[in-house]
Amino acid sequence: MTDDQSQIPARPLLRRPQDGELIDVAGVAHFFRLTGKHTGGHFAFEEFSLAPGVIGARPHVHDGHDEYFYVLEGELTLHTGDGEVTVGAGHLLAATRGTPHGFRNAGSVPARALCLYTPAGYEDYFRDVHAAVSAGAEVTDELLAEFRSRYRTSSYQSGMPE
């Protein structure tokens, strides 16, 4: 993560629909359209999709960045710290630092959403997990907790289904 303004292009950056970095982690296809490299570390922007029955992220808390989720298609069941709510297209969840959140697709059709991270940097968490799994590691709660801790993120105990 950097605040180096020299890394931000001198003119607008146009990204075509196919431009980005696809990182598949535990059944969630994260397609990063912008990363910290493109924004001088200010934010990262992704489109993600998950099939029915997939848990995108068990409840957790970030201490180093905010996340904003916007549902495009299907439904997401969101953990809000007070319980769960199922939402569809057009709903927005602002998960600012220190607020517990998580998401899953409890529906019967694929879900697609956008996520904005500010500041950037958490995209490296997904890269790290993907690299570990590609090298043969099994996705376990312990593995995810280890990687999350590197990015100022901790698990949140709640009643979200396993």
Side-chain angles (χ1 to χ4, degrees):
M1 199 164 31
T2 178
D3 245 356
D4 184 1
Q5 293 290 330
S6 67
Q7 292 184 12
I8 299 175
R11 58 186 148 174
L13 173 63
L14 176 64
R15 304 284 281 168
R16 296 170 303 196
Q18 69 272 22
D19 293 343
E21 177 183 2
L22 180 62
I23 306 172
D24 193 354
V25 175
V28 181
H30 300 271
F31 187 56
F32 280 91
R33 304 297 311 279
L34 294 170
T35 65
K37 174 182 142 189
H38 303 108
T39 67
H42 291 263
F43 69 92
F45 181 84
E46 76 160 305
E47 180 179 329
F48 67 90
S49 59
L50 58 165
V54 171
I55 295 175
R58 295 189 192 292
H60 59 283
V61 175
H62 301 292
D63 291 324
H65 72 276
D66 304 321
E67 291 179 349
Y68 302 89
F69 297 87
Y70 184 80
V71 180
L72 296 171
E73 296 175 355
E75 293 181 337
L76 287 180
T77 297
L78 302 170
H79 180 81
T80 64
D82 294 322
E84 290 186 325
V85 60
T86 299
V87 300
H91 284 81
L92 173 76
L93 175 71
T96 55
R97 285 165 233 214
T99 61
H101 62 285
F103 66 96
R104 63 190 174 102
N105 183 352
S108 59
V109 299
R112 197 167 61 93
L114 302 175
C115 189
L116 172 73
Y117 303 83
T118 180
Y122 204 62
E123 61 270 29
D124 290 333
Y125 162 80
F126 297 106
R127 290 177 180 133
D128 290 351
V129 173
H130 178 77
V133 171
S134 294
E138 181 181 342
V139 177
T140 62
D141 289 341
E142 293 76 23
L143 175 84
L144 296 178
E146 178 201 332
F147 283 113
R148 282 180 173 168
S149 70
R150 296 178 188 177
Y151 296 94
R152 298 178 60 195
T153 299
S154 57
S155 296
Y156 178 79
Q157 301 304 316
S158 73
M160 187 169 179
E162 297 294 319

